[in-house]
Amino acid sequence: MRFDQKLSRMKAGTDGPADFIIADAKDADMAGGLSALGTNPVTQCPATLSEFDAAIGEIVRQDLVDIVLASVSTLRRLNKRGVFEGSAIRQAVRLNDTTDLWRIRGADYGRQPSIPFRTARLDLLPVKFGLYSMTFSGDAREDADALFRYRDFRAEAQAAGISHFLEVFNPTHPLLDKIDYGSFLNDMVSRALAGMHESERPVFLKLAFNGAYALEAFCRYDPSLVVGIMGGSSGTTRDCLELLHQAQLCGARAALFGRKILDAEHPPAMVAMMRAVVERRLTPSEAVGVYHEELLSRGMTPRRLLEADLQITNSLLQ
């Protein structure tokens, strides 16, 4: 698998920009169910499962991402249809679904304390590789519970021969000031890793982006760690590509983006621009222009005018 080759070069210290790992998070059904699968561009109705699967198949055939992350049910459907047959893309399954991930219409779980939860059974996974998620809050009981659950998961995963990468979100309810999120996350993740045997450590990390200073500090802390970032909300095309660029300059070597790909006018074109930016073939602003040209060549109308899409709207990137 291409992912394994890149990881080997990273461990040997021989990796370059082309080895940056891009993962497409197609596990939205574990967050919002029906409402999270995107929209049919023609009817503007919520996408069906078959349309969602077709969109994943298009990304797989493009062969520019290194990992596709999906739910147990999605990977089973895709593998029954042979979507990944002969592909160099690594399949990954969402291993747990803490409540702060839930994006259910009419509810507001994202502002409540995160409750550790797991739908997937480790004995029924379609693949032996996946994503485990944690969210710390600054409340000792909540954070200890999250770490207890993660410890139990690691023991089960090792026994079942399952490897994982770890995703850590920012707090979901206001016990901390946002200005402290970066240092809080750095300290909590590093202290959690300190108690782990090397055999049970995550293959790589996926962290919330809390500014260049915090990310660079964590990447410098232990160069043996493969640190990645998560995408967050959609934003402008420049937001997406600028986040990749700045994170890579800080030492990040992976990115797992969901909505930034799913919500793009043409997801494969967006992925192509992401790859061009991390391989240093285009600057973020140049890639926005090329992306618009690609949309127009396909007869598609960009959601924003080029001038607006070139703007950086995420204050952490300015």
Side-chain angles (χ1 to χ4, degrees):
M1 291 288 177
R2 184 166 56 239
F3 166 76
D4 302 291
Q5 295 168 356
K6 290 185 175 185
L7 206 61
S8 294
R9 288 191 287 271
M10 289 177 185
K11 290 181 178 178
T14 59
D15 57 301
D19 291 311
F20 193 95
I21 295 166
I22 295 179
D24 184 9
K26 284 294 192 286
D27 57 338
D29 50 343
M30 297 294 289
L34 185 154
S35 63
L37 303 185
T39 302
N40 183 303
V42 178
T43 66
Q44 295 303 306
C45 293
T48 63
L49 275 181
S50 61
E51 291 168 340
F52 183 62
D53 291 352
I56 299 174
E58 193 173 12
I59 292 292
V60 172
R61 289 190 297 275
Q62 185 190 29
D63 198 32
L64 289 183
V65 302
D66 304 294
I67 299 171
V68 167
L69 169 72
S71 64
V72 169
S73 60
T74 296
L75 285 183
R76 284 188 59 82
R77 287 195 311 274
L78 295 175
N79 280 301
K80 284 180 179 179
R81 297 171 186 169
V83 170
F84 288 98
E85 190 171 339
S87 173
I89 294 173
R90 184 74 179 267
Q91 299 174 56
V93 66
R94 175 162 280 284
L95 296 165
N96 72 327
D97 42 316
T98 53
T99 59
D100 58 294
L101 294 176
W102 299 357
R103 300 288 184 267
I104 306 300
R105 289 173 289 184
D108 195 6
Y109 296 110
R111 294 184 182 274
Q112 301 176 35
S114 175
I115 300 174
F117 180 77
R118 189 170 82 207
T119 300
R121 286 175 46 180
L122 299 190
D123 60 330
L124 293 176
L125 298 180
V127 294
K128 296 286 189 177
F129 181 59
L131 171 65
Y132 189 91
S133 174
M134 282 198 299
T135 302
F136 298 117
S137 69
D139 179 281
R141 290 187 181 277
E142 292 172 9
D143 292 347
D145 186 38
L147 289 165
F148 274 131
R149 302 295 185 97
Y150 182 42
R151 185 187 64 186
D152 291 346
F153 161 78
R154 297 197 311 274
E156 289 182 57
Q158 271 194 298
I162 297 165
S163 59
H164 75 285
F165 55 108
L166 177 65
E167 167 184 72
V168 187
F169 287 98
N170 281 331
T172 58
H173 58 123
L175 292 182
L176 289 87
D177 292 330
K178 286 188 176 182
I179 195 171
D180 294 324
Y181 281 2
S183 56
F184 173 75
L185 210 66
N186 284 359
D187 289 351
M188 284 299 290
V189 174
S190 57
R191 71 152 302 283
L193 293 171
M196 295 184 209
H197 188 274
E198 61 183 12
S199 65
E200 61 176 342
R201 276 192 164 195
V203 175
F204 70 93
L205 298 169
K206 174 195 171 189
L207 305 178
F209 181 75
N210 290 298
Y213 180 82
L215 179 59
E216 186 175 7
F218 196 90
C219 292
R220 284 200 317 266
Y221 155 72
D222 183 354
S224 71
L225 292 172
V226 176
V227 179
I229 55 164
M230 61 182 72
S233 59
S234 300
T236 64
T237 302
R238 177 68 180 277
D239 284 335
C240 171
L241 301 174
E242 190 69 32
L243 176 56
L244 274 177
H245 175 65
Q246 290 194 27
Q248 188 180 37
L249 292 180
C250 292
R253 292 183 282 182
L256 193 152
F257 284 4
R259 282 172 286 175
K260 281 179 163 50
I261 296 175
L262 181 67
D263 293 342
E265 296 95 335
H266 192 266
M270 178 66 86
V271 169
M273 293 305 98
M274 291 168 63
R275 182 59 69 192
V277 167
V278 298
E279 292 183 359
R280 316 285 174 85
R281 291 184 279 112
L282 292 173
T283 66
S285 58
E286 289 171 343
V288 175
V290 174
Y291 177 70
H292 273 247
E293 290 173 2
E294 177 67 18
L295 293 180
L296 293 173
S297 73
R298 293 176 175 273
M300 302 177 70
T301 302
R303 193 172 294 119
R304 302 176 188 86
L305 295 175
L306 177 58
E307 183 177 352
D309 216 16
L310 281 166
Q311 300 305 307
I312 298 173
T313 64
N314 183 341
S315 60
L316 291 171
L317 297 170
Q318 295 172 340

